[in-house]
Amino acid sequence: MAQENASELRTRRPIIVGNWKMYKTPAQAQQFVTVFLPMVANHDRDEIVLCPSVTSLPAVIQCAAGSNVAIGAQNMHFADEGAVTGETSPLMLKAIGTTHVIVGHSERRLYFNETDEIVNQKLHAAIKHALTPILCIGENLEEREDGKTEEVLRRQAEKAFKGIVPETAGSFIVAYTPVWATGTGKTATPESAGVAHFFIRTEIARLLGRGTADRIRIIYAGSVKPDNVSTMLNQPEIDGVLVGGASLDPNSFAQIIKY
Ligand code: PGA
């Protein structure tokens, strides 16, 4: 499909999210933003979000204030406060001007035993504090090879959205993050990602109604690079991308944004 056709078909504004994971000190983060902002100034076709590590959040938020780049956190606890050593609460994130938060990233699920139930609590907390959640769901390699992709996506979506009403869910962003394609250099083909996105949207429609499902943006994550981003975004079902490794360099992230 030609690019113009894909853009014409779009009813949802694409969103491009950079996930820096555990990289960059505050000084390095600030340096990135200083170089990066002029590169994407006036770019309004896509919404842009950067998710630095928690120690860099204040510097990056300050640096990006008034720009077209919003700042998100990579994780949070679901409680407002409490005796929970090492965690950051939504209240704290909100207080420094964070607007988005990644919830249930596969690395959190894998290394920190984040369950679907915890993910659900975090989504409720994000709503309570008016943070826009970027909910990650996706199958691992074994599940994919066993033909369980749809089963996994259905379970993760069903449990994540438990108790969430259509009125609030419309602003959510869902990232399809096939675990086997995260940080591995392997990418889902645009067609197979498109099929997964279509399945996720159908599930959301079943859970929350067609209107909400049509509003939610479903973005792709997994080894997105400047040279594969446009084929991904040419799929009408793919409403944006979540970029890890390739978002660490301002040139490469700006190239992705200008796909
Ligand atoms: P990647 O990471 O682009 O390095 O594969 C994506 C993500 O998991 O956020």
Side-chain angles (χ1 to χ4, degrees):
M1 180 186 299
Q3 174 120 19
E4 310 84 74
N5 293 348
S7 321
E8 277 165 20
L9 284 174
R10 282 199 190 290
T11 50
R12 298 171 287 267
R13 186 176 177 215
I15 176 163
I16 302 194
V17 184
N19 172 17
W20 284 351
K21 308 193 177 183
M22 201 170 67
Y23 291 96
K24 295 192 193 294
T25 62
Q28 291 167 333
Q30 205 164 350
Q31 199 179 11
F32 175 107
V33 177
T34 311
V35 176
F36 173 70
L37 286 184
M39 291 177 168
V40 295
N42 306 320
H43 184 95
D44 62 5
R45 177 191 57 188
D46 311 272
E47 202 174 318
I48 307 168
V49 183
L50 256 186
C51 301
S53 69
V54 74
T55 54
S56 294
L57 275 173
V60 170
I61 288 169
Q62 214 168 39
C63 251
S67 77
N68 54 340
V69 178
I71 308 302
Q74 299 174 12
N75 177 42
M76 67 175 188
H77 195 272
F78 49 79
D80 287 1
E81 58 181 12
V84 195
T85 303
E87 290 290 310
T88 310
S89 89
L91 201 67
M92 295 166 183
L93 293 177
K94 192 73 188 174
I96 59 166
T98 313
T99 53
H100 294 67
V101 61
I102 299 175
V103 173
H105 191 280
S106 60
E107 288 151 12
R108 303 282 329 159
R109 293 179 189 256
L110 187 64
Y111 306 136
F112 300 94
N113 299 323
E114 210 162 289
T115 62
D116 290 322
E117 288 70 25
I118 293 173
V119 167
N120 174 251
Q121 282 179 285
K122 290 185 178 190
L123 287 181
H124 281 280
I127 294 169
K128 179 176 170 198
H129 294 281
L131 287 159
T132 302
I134 302 166
L135 162 69
C136 299
I137 58 175
E139 80 286 4
N140 64 30
L141 185 60
E142 198 185 333
E143 291 161 340
R144 185 172 190 84
E145 286 176 345
D146 288 350
K148 292 189 175 147
T149 299
E150 295 195 345
E151 190 185 310
V152 171
L153 293 176
R154 174 176 291 135
R155 189 203 70 227
Q156 290 180 340
E158 231 167 50
K159 294 200 168 176
F161 286 112
K162 192 162 176 238
I164 287 171
V165 295
E167 293 69 39
T168 41
S171 63
F172 282 23
I173 295 147
V174 175
Y176 170 52
T177 319
V179 182
W180 51 273
T182 299
T184 58
K186 290 185 195 149
T187 327
T189 63
E191 293 73 24
S192 74
V195 169
H197 282 223
F198 182 78
F199 179 79
I200 294 168
R201 199 175 304 283
T202 309
E203 278 305 295
I204 297 174
R206 185 175 65 80
L207 297 166
L208 295 162
R210 180 40 67 188
T212 303
D214 284 341
R215 282 207 308 282
I216 287 186
R217 285 173 294 176
I218 306 177
I219 66 178
Y220 170 79
S223 301
V224 173
K225 305 271 181 292
D227 59 7
N228 61 21
V229 62
S230 60
T231 51
M232 282 294 169
L233 288 169
N234 268 342
Q235 297 285 322
E237 273 300 326
I238 302 184
D239 303 318
V241 285
L242 172 67
V243 187
S247 72
L248 291 168
D249 172 71
N251 286 299
S252 114
F253 194 43
Q255 260 179 281
I256 288 176
I257 288 161
K258 294 175 179 174
Y259 62 90

